[in-house]
Amino acid sequence: MRLRIFLSLLFLITLSFGADATIEVVKKVDTLPTIGVEDSSISYDATFKKRFFKALISDLNVLSLFNVDRHNYITHYNNTEVVAEDKDKDYVLRYKLYEDDNQALNIDMKIIKNSNDVMKKSYRIKNKKLYVFVSHAMAYDINNFMGAEPVDWIKKKILLSRLVAPGQSEILICDYTLAFSQKIVTGGLNVFPKWANKEQTAFYYTSLSGKKPSLKKVDIKTAKVSNILSSDGMIVCSDVSLDGKKLLVTMAPSGQPDIYMYNVDTRKTRRLTTYSGIDVNGQFLKDNKIVFVSNRLGYPNIFSKVIGQKGVEQLVYYGKSNSSCSAHNQYIVYKSRESSDNFSDNTFNLHLISTETDFIRRLTATGMNEFPRFSQDGDAILFIKNYMQQSSIGVIRLKYNKNYLFPLSYGKIQSIDW
């Protein structure tokens, strides 16, 4: 009887821990179902077909639901049998690329299991340069078919600031794998882009090209650029409320930076922190709170406060240089320095904490990992990784304990948002 009670308590404790994202979840790769990918394309050259196949393999891996066979098998779309190498696989994804009379890219796809078509869907896009977003849409639909939790973020666009020369940067719109990119802002030093709404129809960025740092807004549909705010010292929009009506902005009109809230409708600012040192990188939390980075302890660390109240609360007790963060509900991911070497590059890792538990989970292991950003649903974390002279976008799947990297072809990533 006592043993039964003990096992029941242990089971309940395990369930409680398993529901918390700060507890590391390790899934053995061997237990995942296998999937092969078969190409039945009848249009386009070998280079384009290879790009699409590569994008699809990448998306299937990031879903973290399969052991993905990376071989590019060719077969006819209507063949009743899968290729010999796929006979023992749990699933086969077969697709066909073809161009119609209007030069639009069409894609038919199906999932085969035990010689039966268990899922079918078709896609069409006018501009084949956007092919990678079709791959993302296919992965999104396959994820839903498998009954996994939604991955809306996989179809979202990424804002990226890229340093290309001293005092020169570009702001680009990309997909999360960087297979697609389009320059939106060029000329001068333009940094810290931030989406203005969840529909991703506009964004803010900091321009350092004028007499004063200024916050600008770009309407993507009309290409209209509006001046929002300017301030001596610095100005950065670090977060936008879910309804897009309030911004958290770091400004330093009197020398030291503080966090302000900007009301989009009234165009008025409200000062939220009044510390004599450095307060930066404000993020909205639930319950009328913000989280931010401050040097109140003599080094950068993560704090929170209720908007309108004076008191602040220290949230992080691990790390001596915790200089950036991102928040989603009760979770906070932050950057922490983990080495202090004067003669080589130091290691900066990302850690995850919850405001409701004492657990800390380290999310990265090597290099300089910074600028973390939660997806809107909190399912994944996007971040910048600089390692061995290579600048990459990283994606962390929290529930699957997996990291994926997508390198930038040239330049250095300065900041990101999605």
Side-chain angles (χ1 to χ4, degrees):
M1 185 63 181
R2 287 181 178 176
L3 178 61
R4 185 181 299 173
I5 293 173
F6 172 76
L7 291 175
S8 298
L9 287 173
L10 181 63
F11 177 68
L12 289 173
I13 291 170
T14 303
L15 281 181
S16 175
F17 280 9
D20 192 298
T22 55
I23 306 302
E24 190 170 1
V25 179
V26 179
K27 289 197 171 186
K28 292 182 179 179
V29 175
D30 292 342
T31 63
L32 296 176
T34 54
I35 188 169
V37 180
E38 298 181 356
D39 185 353
S40 305
S41 300
I42 58 176
S43 302
Y44 305 108
D45 59 27
T47 301
F48 183 78
K49 286 190 284 190
K50 186 175 181 180
R51 285 178 185 166
F52 188 86
F53 174 81
K54 185 178 178 182
L56 199 51
I57 292 293
S58 176
D59 278 327
L60 290 174
N61 274 307
V62 172
L63 287 184
S64 307
L65 299 175
F66 306 102
N67 273 328
V68 183
D69 187 339
R70 294 175 176 271
H71 288 88
N72 188 359
Y73 301 116
I74 308 297
T75 189
H76 192 282
Y77 192 73
N78 294 325
N79 274 349
T80 55
E81 299 292 332
V82 300
V83 300
E85 292 83 353
D86 285 336
K87 282 184 60 178
D88 296 326
K89 296 202 171 60
D90 297 297
Y91 297 94
V92 171
L93 166 60
R94 185 180 293 170
Y95 68 90
K96 178 175 68 175
L97 309 180
Y98 60 100
E99 189 176 71
D100 62 23
D101 293 339
N102 295 316
Q103 286 75 55
L105 169 62
N106 291 262
I107 301 170
D108 293 339
M109 64 86 80
K110 55 186 174 183
I111 298 291
I112 304 169
K113 180 178 176 59
N114 298 329
S115 301
N116 296 313
D117 298 345
V118 295
M119 175 192 173
K120 282 186 175 181
K121 194 157 185 178
S122 296
Y123 307 82
R124 184 178 185 274
I125 190 167
K126 292 182 180 178
N127 185 354
K128 77 171 189 177
K129 292 181 179 179
L130 302 175
Y131 72 90
V132 72
F133 289 103
V134 181
S135 173
H136 299 340
M138 290 171 64
Y140 175 86
D141 291 332
I142 293 169
N143 182 77
N144 288 347
F145 167 75
M146 294 296 293
E149 293 188 28
V151 286
D152 294 341
W153 53 265
I154 207 169
K155 297 191 290 185
K156 290 288 187 180
K157 297 182 179 67
I158 305 294
L159 276 173
L160 181 152
S161 172
R162 173 171 64 185
L163 302 174
V164 293
Q168 295 290 320
S169 65
E170 302 167 339
I171 294 179
L172 300 88
I173 292 180
C174 312
D175 78 300
Y176 81 95
T177 69
L178 303 182
F180 168 85
S181 66
Q182 181 178 2
K183 296 177 186 176
I184 301 297
V185 180
T186 60
L189 189 56
N190 304 293
V191 292
F192 299 115
K194 186 74 184 175
W195 287 113
N197 51 47
K198 59 184 179 183
E199 294 79 19
Q200 298 188 321
T201 59
F203 66 89
Y204 301 99
Y205 72 95
T206 297
S207 172
L208 299 174
S209 300
K211 294 181 179 178
K212 287 184 178 181
S214 59
L215 184 67
K216 296 179 180 293
K217 182 179 181 180
V218 178
D219 185 314
I220 294 176
K221 291 183 178 178
T222 64
K224 180 183 178 182
V225 180
S226 305
N227 292 316
I228 304 300
L229 288 168
S230 64
S231 173
D232 289 320
M234 67 178 295
I235 185 166
V236 176
C237 175
S238 57
D239 202 8
V240 179
S241 62
L242 288 177
D243 60 7
K245 294 186 176 181
K246 295 177 181 175
L247 317 181
L248 288 179
V249 183
T250 300
M251 294 191 293
S254 304
Q256 294 287 10
D258 272 301
I259 297 168
Y260 296 74
M261 187 161 63
Y262 175 78
N263 188 307
V264 174
D265 292 334
T266 64
R267 299 185 179 183
K268 293 182 177 179
T269 57
R270 175 185 176 188
R271 188 173 178 178
L272 301 185
T273 64
T274 56
Y275 176 55
S276 58
I278 297 172
D279 287 341
V280 296
N281 194 22
Q283 308 279 309
F284 286 108
L285 276 179
K286 63 179 183 178
D287 300 328
N288 199 37
K289 290 183 177 179
I290 62 168
V291 59
F292 59 100
V293 176
S294 175
N295 72 340
R296 292 160 194 261
L297 300 176
Y299 59 89
N301 202 12
I302 314 299
F303 294 83
S304 72
K305 70 170 294 181
V306 177
I307 294 175
Q309 296 184 9
K310 292 184 177 180
V312 299
E313 178 184 4
Q314 182 180 346
L315 293 182
V316 174
Y317 293 88
Y318 175 82
K320 287 293 185 181
S321 183
N322 309 321
S323 55
S324 68
C325 67
S326 177
H328 177 77
N329 293 332
Q330 76 269 31
Y331 294 110
I332 298 164
V333 57
Y334 68 94
K335 166 191 170 185
S336 180
R337 191 180 70 190
E338 300 207 310
S339 65
S340 183
D341 192 332
N342 292 327
F343 303 100
S344 63
D345 294 336
N346 284 301
T347 298
F348 290 82
N349 280 317
L350 301 182
H351 296 75
L352 181 72
I353 63 169
S354 167
T355 57
E356 299 177 355
T357 71
D358 294 328
F359 294 104
I360 299 175
R361 176 178 163 189
R362 193 175 76 175
L363 302 175
T364 56
T366 59
M368 180 180 287
N369 305 279
E370 58 185 346
F371 230 88
R373 286 289 178 269
F374 272 107
S375 60
Q376 285 190 351
D377 57 9
D379 173 77
I381 295 171
L382 194 76
F383 67 103
I384 299 171
K385 187 180 188 75
N386 288 298
Y387 184 61
M388 302 290 285
Q389 309 302 318
Q390 178 72 63
S391 191
S392 303
I393 290 286
V395 176
I396 300 173
R397 297 298 312 277
L398 286 173
K399 294 175 182 174
Y400 298 95
N401 196 38
K402 287 179 176 285
N403 291 12
Y404 302 92
L405 291 176
F406 303 94
L408 187 69
S409 57
Y410 76 95
K412 183 177 181 180
I413 304 172
Q414 181 268 338
S415 58
I416 52 175
D417 192 36
W418 71 351

